[in-house]
């Protein structure tokens, strides 16, 4: 049973048939046939943004929080190029989004026509795949393939470039949405190698100083429950990457916190001294390993990932397994249960207890809070860590938290405890300032009744604050917590530590807006907090019933001198961290 | 670290833009391309690329993995891992005047080249062989006699009865 539809109508219909509920977009000449097709239907809702970059981050936030692809629609030329930063952000973190960019008509392509940009060419290095529609008749199967490719295997962004003539309302085609996709050149792994899986289980059970190092791939691959069960069954310590937070309960005893450049002391020390590292859905990013040649010298490495290209890219894996997290973790779980059933003392519990004792000592000596203990009784100014902790208390931890990029991002990652996956949403790979607010908006659309908070810095916030207008239009009750240090804090920290305190273009103290008044001008609620004793009352208001339906902005004026610690020492091993700022010097710990 | 030369055979969908993804990947990941040939195969929906690159084995393995990640790439084989045949075609325009003229012809015969075009003072020679053979021919000609050279880049195929798609 097929109907006669125009290209523009087929595109919209295919999105409906794909189950899309929201499209984040911004119109323009080349996209107008598509916009007219959107006008004539009710099944999917188009959200009008204020900048195309924000549209891509909204789609990205939607995708990260639901696991379903987010959808973007932009016009040609500047609309398309404005979307690039968001596409690159999604690409680096393997997030499924489908970006539809309008294009000048086929006959004008290559002529430098008005608002013509070679979108397929410009986006090529930052997409999983892209399509250029040559003929309207191809639209249904291209849309079908685009969603399949975006969301399967290692997910990622897919661009569909749509020349205006292929959406002409006067040319009708038989529409039928394909039921299946057949791509001879694309077949994501469906199961891991059985022999490798067995070897991995034996190595896990033999370990005396094990660490489970889990990343965003566990969340993407829906492996959270299995990973948690497996770690619990073994009683092994777990650390998460910035992207993996929430894939193991953050408030659990076995959780060591985040690892890497600003990871916890205990997580980084455990990685360095481990004799076995089970890496799952993680990619040994340079922000994790520090100097790869000094990485975990004693450790045997099991590396499970869906993407063969991620394995042995930076650190050589002793036992590589390519496969989906759910299938391989499920199989490992079964093998571990069988092994422990037949031989309950298969794990060297004495060695494990000694290992835990070492980890606990690291935690007691230099775990988080270290900095606050160090500074207790200081100048009384508000510390960023205290603001994040107050948020955590006031929300009961039951919130989606997005963030931007900078010190505030690290404080949020360190001090908010995520007990569930898809709750912590940030740009890990590209580190895109301006991500936080639009990402939170995408999350709020997907979860209208949930608490959605955005931890931002005044620098990052100003990169996409025009979206306050979109929030007003759609009445999005997001809670924005601005850790205002009146500086590009992370840049300033590096300048303090590596450039003799020369703050080259990282401060703008006298040129900041009154954020409270700014937000109020968009009809939102805003608070300003300067002191610790006001903090809990404000957070109680913000996250309580009083402002359930309001967007609330908290402008928290924090100590501008605060640094993020621990911080990896450049070129060193994971154990090499700066732990705190001493008056006039840095306390550099070489080893313990 | 060993910087060996590797010969990659790549089958990809014969579609607009597919080749630019392959070439773009090399630029993006900082890999080098030494030679590149491409043309449709007996199945016209597929194109076959032969590409030479160099690097240590782990780097070439990474390249292969990244190529496989491209949606339009159907198959990638490192031909240098097994027995294979490789050939390159060269057209060389060579100065051929006076006593040099018969000398050039003799060198051409020794290398089993063919003279495919003639002018009063030049020969254009076609030569097929391995890269080393083509290089040797250029060295064998007297300095200054070569006016212009065009080489196709290497094409390669595995020895024996196995087809690339069944490997
Ligand atoms: C788009 C973009 N430009 C530049 C950077 C480099 N950068 C990283 S952190 C940072 C400072 C961020 O300032 P702010 O948002 O106020 O956060 P803070 O570090 O002060 O908490 C900068 C400029 C970036 N990550 N993204
Ligand atoms: Mg700041």
């Amino acid at each position: 049973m097929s109907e006669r539809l125009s290209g523009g109508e087929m595109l919209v219909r295919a999105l409906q048939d794909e189950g899309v509920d929201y499209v984040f977009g911004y119109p323009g000449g080349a996209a107008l046939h598509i916009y007219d097709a959107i006008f004539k239907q009710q099944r999917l809702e188009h959200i009008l943004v204020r900048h195309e970059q924000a549209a891509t981050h909204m789609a990205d936030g939607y995708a990260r929080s639901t696991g379903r692809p987010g959808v973007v629609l932009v016009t040609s030329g500047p609309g398309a190029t404005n979307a690039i930063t968001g596409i690159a952000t999604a690409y680096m973190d393997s997030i499924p989004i489908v970006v539809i960019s309008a294009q000048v008509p086929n006959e004008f392509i290559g002529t430098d026509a008005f608002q013509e940009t070679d979108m397929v060419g410009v986006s090529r290095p930052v997409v999983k795949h892209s399509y250029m529609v040559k003929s309207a008749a191809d639209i249904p199967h291209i849309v079908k393939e685009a969603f399949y490719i975006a969301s399967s295997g290692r997910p990622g962004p897919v661009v569909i470039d749509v020349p205006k003539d292929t959406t002409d309302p006067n040319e009708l085609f038989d529409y039928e949405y394909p039921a299946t996709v057949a791509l001879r050149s694309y077949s994501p792994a469906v199961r891991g190698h059985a022999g490798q899986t067995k070897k991995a289980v034996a190595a896990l059970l033999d370990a005396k100083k094990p660490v489970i190092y889990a990343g965003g791939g566990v969340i993407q691959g829906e492996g959270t429950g299995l990973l948690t069960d497996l770690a619990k069954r073994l009683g092994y310590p777990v650390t998460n990457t910035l992207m993996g937070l929430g894939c193991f309960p953050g408030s659990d005893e076995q959780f060591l916190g985040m690892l890497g450049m600003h990871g916890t002391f205990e997580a980084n020390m455990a990685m360095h001294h481990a004799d076995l590292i089970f890496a799952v859905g993680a990619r040994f990013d340079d922000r994790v390993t520090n100097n790869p040649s000094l990485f975990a010298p004693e450790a045997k490495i099991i590396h499970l990932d869906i993407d063969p290209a991620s394995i042995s890219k930076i650190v050589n894996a002793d036992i590589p397994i390519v496969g989906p997290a759910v299938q391989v973790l499920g199989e490992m779980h079964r093998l571990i249960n069988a092994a422990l059933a037949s031989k309950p003392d298969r794990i060297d519990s004495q060695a494990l207890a000694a290992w835990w004792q070492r980890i606990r000592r690291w935690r007691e000596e230099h775990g988080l809070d270290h900095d606050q203990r160090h500074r207790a009784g200081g100048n009384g100014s508000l510390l960023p860590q205290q603001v994040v902790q107050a948020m955590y208390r006031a929300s009961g931890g039951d919130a989606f938290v997005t963030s931007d990029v900078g010190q505030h991002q690290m404080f949020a990652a360190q001090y908010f405890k995520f007990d569930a996956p898809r709750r912590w949403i940030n740009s890990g790979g590209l580190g895109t300032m301006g991500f936080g607010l639009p990402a939170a908006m995408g999350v709020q659309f997907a979860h209208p009744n949930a608490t959605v908070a955005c931890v931002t810095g005044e620098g990052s916030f100003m990169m996409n604050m025009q979206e306050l207008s979109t929030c007003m239009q759609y009445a999005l009750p997001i809670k924005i917590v601005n850790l205002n240090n009146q500086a590009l804090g992370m840049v300033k920290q590096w300048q303090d530590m590596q450039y003799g305190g020369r703050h080259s273009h990282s401060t703008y103290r006298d040129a900041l807006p009154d954020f409270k008044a700014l937000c109020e001008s968009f009809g939102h609620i805003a608070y300003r907090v300067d002191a610790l004793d006001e903090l809990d009352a404000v957070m109680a208001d913000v996250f309580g019933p009083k402002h359930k339906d309001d967007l609330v902005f908290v402008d928290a004026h924090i100590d501008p001198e605060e640094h993020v610690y621990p911080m990896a020492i450049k070129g060193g091993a994971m154990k090499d961290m700066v732990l705190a700022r001493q008056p006039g010097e840095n306390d550099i710990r070489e080893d313990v | 670290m060993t910087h060996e030369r590797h010969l990659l055979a790549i089958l990809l969908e014969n579609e607009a833009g597919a080749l630019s993804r392959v070439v773009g990947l090399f630029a993006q990941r900082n890999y080098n391309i030494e030679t590149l040939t491409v043309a449709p195969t007996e199945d016209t929906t597929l194109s076959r690329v032969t590409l030479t690159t160099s690097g240590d084995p782990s780097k070439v393995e990474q390249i292969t993995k990244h190529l496989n990640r491209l949606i339009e790439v159907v198959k990638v084989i490192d031909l240098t891992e097994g027995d294979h045949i490789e050939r390159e075609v060269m057209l060389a325009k060579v100065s051929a005047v006076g006593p040099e003229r018969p000398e050039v012809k003799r060198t051409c015969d020794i290398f089993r080249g063919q003279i495919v075009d003639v002018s009063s003072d030049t020969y254009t020679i076609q030569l097929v062989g391995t890269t080393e053979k083509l290089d040797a021919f250029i060295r064998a000609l007297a300095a200054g006699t070569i006016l212009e050279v065009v080489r196709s880049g290497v094409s390669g195929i595995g020895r024996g009865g196995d087809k690339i798609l069944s490997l």
Side-chain angles (χ1 to χ4, degrees):
Chain A
M1 191 196 74
S2 68
E3 309 162 62
R4 303 282 292 170
L5 299 178
S6 72
E9 289 167 338
M10 288 200 291
L11 184 59
V12 173
R13 213 17 219 290
L15 294 178
Q16 292 175 348
D17 286 345
E18 200 52 54
V20 172
D21 46 6
Y22 290 106
V23 174
F24 304 95
Y26 205 78
L32 289 184
H33 296 331
I34 305 170
Y35 271 89
D36 201 45
I38 288 177
F39 189 86
K40 292 180 185 155
Q41 57 84 54
Q42 272 85 43
R43 268 173 63 196
L44 59 81
E45 190 180 351
H46 177 275
I47 306 301
L48 180 65
V49 303
R50 300 297 181 268
H51 188 297
E52 291 89 349
Q53 180 190 349
T56 54
H57 295 328
M58 287 180 210
D60 179 318
Y62 177 98
R64 289 183 205 234
S65 68
T66 62
R68 297 195 302 275
V71 183
V72 176
L73 173 59
V74 296
T75 192
S76 66
T81 55
N82 272 351
I84 293 291
T85 301
I87 297 172
T89 303
Y91 180 73
M92 291 295 278
D93 290 342
S94 308
I95 304 303
I97 61 173
V98 174
V99 177
I100 298 162
S101 54
Q103 182 56 279
V104 300
N106 268 299
E107 57 174 321
F108 289 105
I109 289 177
T111 65
D112 294 328
F114 178 63
Q115 296 196 328
E116 180 190 357
T117 299
D118 172 12
M119 180 58 168
V120 167
V122 169
S123 64
R124 198 184 53 224
V126 293
V127 295
K128 183 171 175 187
H129 195 51
S130 52
Y131 292 89
M132 164 70 116
V133 176
K134 288 277 156 54
S135 142
D138 295 332
I139 288 174
H141 85 85
I142 286 179
V143 172
K144 180 80 187 177
E145 283 179 22
F147 277 84
Y148 173 64
I149 289 172
S151 53
S152 57
R154 179 177 179 167
V158 176
V159 163
I160 308 177
D161 203 30
V162 187
K164 188 170 184 180
D165 55 303
T166 66
T167 58
D168 187 337
N170 299 316
E171 285 187 46
L172 302 185
F173 299 82
D174 282 340
Y175 173 82
E176 202 172 341
Y177 199 58
T180 55
V181 185
L183 286 166
R184 63 176 157 185
S185 51
Y186 177 70
S187 47
V190 288
R191 49 192 324 106
H193 190 279
Q196 291 293 91
T197 310
K198 272 203 196 99
K199 259 204 236 168
V201 166
L204 261 180
L205 294 171
D206 287 342
K208 304 207 179 325
K209 297 184 292 172
V211 179
I212 298 173
Y213 152 46
V218 177
I219 296 174
Q220 300 260 10
E222 303 291 351
T224 303
L226 280 165
L227 181 88
T228 305
D229 290 352
L230 186 141
K232 288 263 140 201
R233 185 80 176 92
L234 293 168
Y236 289 179
V238 181
T239 177
N240 283 168
T241 65
L242 181 66
M243 297 309 298
L245 292 174
C247 83
F248 184 81
S251 55
D252 194 284
E253 248 310 283
Q254 273 170 250
F255 187 56
L256 306 187
M258 178 173 77
L259 83 174
M261 176 171 272
H262 294 296
T264 65
F265 184 69
E266 58 270 35
N268 289 340
M269 293 301 280
M271 285 290 283
H272 183 79
H273 294 282
D275 72 344
L276 180 110
I277 292 173
F278 176 28
V280 39
R283 61 188 177 96
F284 296 86
D285 184 271
D286 54 70
R287 293 283 145 125
V288 165
T289 59
N290 206 355
N291 184 344
S293 63
L294 302 177
F295 177 77
E298 297 169 43
K300 185 175 225 180
I301 291 167
I302 307 170
H303 192 179
L304 162 59
D305 204 282
I306 187 81
D307 178 18
S310 291
I311 291 176
S312 298
K313 182 171 68 175
I314 302 198
V315 169
N316 201 51
D318 300 289
I319 308 177
I321 313 173
V322 177
V326 168
Q327 183 269 325
V328 179
L329 288 174
E331 179 63 10
M332 287 177 81
H333 204 246
R334 204 183 57 74
L335 292 171
I336 288 169
N337 278 336
L340 294 181
S342 67
K343 199 161 180 272
D345 59 351
R346 176 72 175 78
I347 294 172
D348 184 343
S349 54
Q350 227 172 334
L352 186 61
W355 178 229
W356 267 115
Q357 205 166 6
R358 264 178 99 181
I359 291 173
R360 282 196 197 99
R361 204 168 56 235
W362 287 324
R363 194 184 264 163
E364 277 154 28
E365 283 173 353
H366 293 290
L368 294 177
D369 282 351
H370 167 74
D371 208 40
Q372 289 180 62
R373 267 182 303 199
H374 172 68
R375 293 173 48 108
N379 57 11
S381 55
L382 198 54
L383 290 177
Q385 298 93 330
Q386 294 167 331
V387 179
V388 175
Q389 285 173 323
M391 265 180 80
Y392 181 68
R393 281 193 300 272
S395 64
D398 183 18
F400 290 86
V401 179
T402 72
S403 101
D404 272 292
V405 177
Q407 292 181 317
H408 62 274
Q409 174 192 26
M410 293 302 136
F411 291 129
Q414 290 177 333
Y415 286 87
F416 205 99
K417 310 255 170 279
F418 296 94
D419 283 341
R422 302 194 181 283
R423 291 301 192 90
W424 164 243
I425 286 163
N426 83 130
S427 166
L430 197 66
T432 308
M433 291 171 66
F435 175 81
L437 173 60
M441 294 163 68
V443 175
Q444 190 81 74
F445 278 113
H447 307 272
N449 299 317
T451 302
V452 181
C454 166
V455 178
T456 188
E458 79 300 319
S460 297
F461 181 70
M462 286 191 288
M463 283 209 178
N464 264 326
M465 63 182 175
Q466 76 285 346
E467 298 307 318
L468 286 173
S469 167
T470 313
C471 290
M472 182 183 186
Q473 183 173 351
Y474 296 96
L476 298 176
I478 294 164
K479 317 301 178 211
I480 302 169
V481 177
N482 186 33
L483 299 183
N484 190 343
N485 52 11
Q486 306 177 22
L488 302 176
M490 189 57 98
V491 172
K492 186 164 154 270
Q493 172 170 350
W494 283 47
Q495 290 169 338
D496 283 336
M497 297 175 76
Q498 292 168 25
Y499 296 89
R502 292 182 296 283
H503 296 162
S504 180
H505 298 274
S506 55
T507 58
Y508 39 42
R509 176 166 301 193
D510 301 326
L512 290 170
D514 174 344
F515 285 102
K516 184 168 182 295
L518 176 86
C519 292
E520 284 168 353
S521 77
F522 286 94
H524 303 311
I525 308 288
Y527 290 81
R528 176 179 164 144
V529 193
D530 295 83
L532 184 56
D533 55 13
E534 309 160 8
L535 185 61
D536 277 317
V538 169
M539 288 298 178
D541 267 8
V542 173
F543 289 94
K546 178 171 171 188
H547 290 308
K548 193 175 171 311
D549 299 324
D550 302 319
L551 184 149
V552 191
F553 185 97
V554 181
D555 189 21
H557 281 245
I558 56 166
D559 182 350
E561 301 309 320
E562 187 63 5
H563 283 179
V564 182
Y565 294 112
M567 177 154 168
I569 297 173
K570 207 167 171 269
M574 283 191 80
K575 68 178 169 57
D576 302 321
M577 292 167 261
V578 184
L579 293 178
R581 176 153 65 181
Q582 304 290 319
E585 62 170 65
N586 286 320
D587 167 15
I588 299 179
R589 263 191 94 93
E590 290 299 347
D591 199 356
V592 173
Chain B
M1 268 196 212
T2 50
H3 269 260
E4 315 148 1
R5 170 177 169 277
H6 288 260
L7 195 63
L8 303 181
I10 306 162
L11 273 186
L12 72 165
E13 299 286 352
N14 185 8
E15 276 166 13
L19 182 65
S20 68
R21 279 185 228 273
V22 170
V23 175
L25 175 80
F26 277 75
Q28 208 179 308
R29 302 259 170 201
N30 213 0
Y31 305 143
N32 66 319
I33 297 179
E34 276 151 24
T35 72
L36 176 80
T37 67
V38 59
T41 67
E42 76 286 0
D43 170 354
T44 52
T45 66
L46 290 174
S47 285
R48 177 149 172 166
V49 172
T50 310
L51 187 154
T52 51
T53 184
S54 59
D56 61 83
S58 70
K59 182 163 177 179
V60 175
E61 193 185 325
Q62 271 302 312
I63 297 177
T64 308
K65 285 175 174 175
H66 282 295
L67 283 169
N68 271 313
R69 210 154 81 161
L70 296 177
I71 306 294
E72 286 144 332
V73 166
V74 178
K75 190 90 186 184
V76 183
I77 296 273
D78 183 351
L79 290 171
T80 27
E81 277 181 358
D83 277 350
H84 68 281
I85 299 164
E86 50 180 273
R87 290 291 180 270
E88 203 178 337
V89 178
M90 175 166 75
L91 295 173
K93 193 170 287 188
V94 180
S95 155
V97 279
E100 264 180 15
R101 204 165 167 94
E103 185 54 36
V104 167
K105 169 97 175 56
R106 250 195 308 279
T107 311
C108 172
D109 289 343
I110 291 168
F111 279 86
R112 293 172 202 252
Q114 281 173 288
I115 295 173
V116 292
D117 190 36
V118 177
S119 77
S120 60
D121 51 3
T122 63
Y123 283 146
T124 299
I125 297 167
Q126 168 190 308
L127 192 64
V128 178
T130 60
T131 301
E132 295 74 45
K133 175 174 162 178
L134 270 47
D135 290 346
F137 176 70
I138 291 173
R139 280 195 305 270
L141 289 171
T145 51
I146 294 186
L147 303 174
E148 189 179 337
V149 157
V150 56
R151 296 168 69 148
S152 64
V154 182
S155 290
I157 196 164
R159 278 194 191 274
D162 292 337
K163 287 168 36 181
I164 183 170
L165 274 173
S166 50
L167 287 175

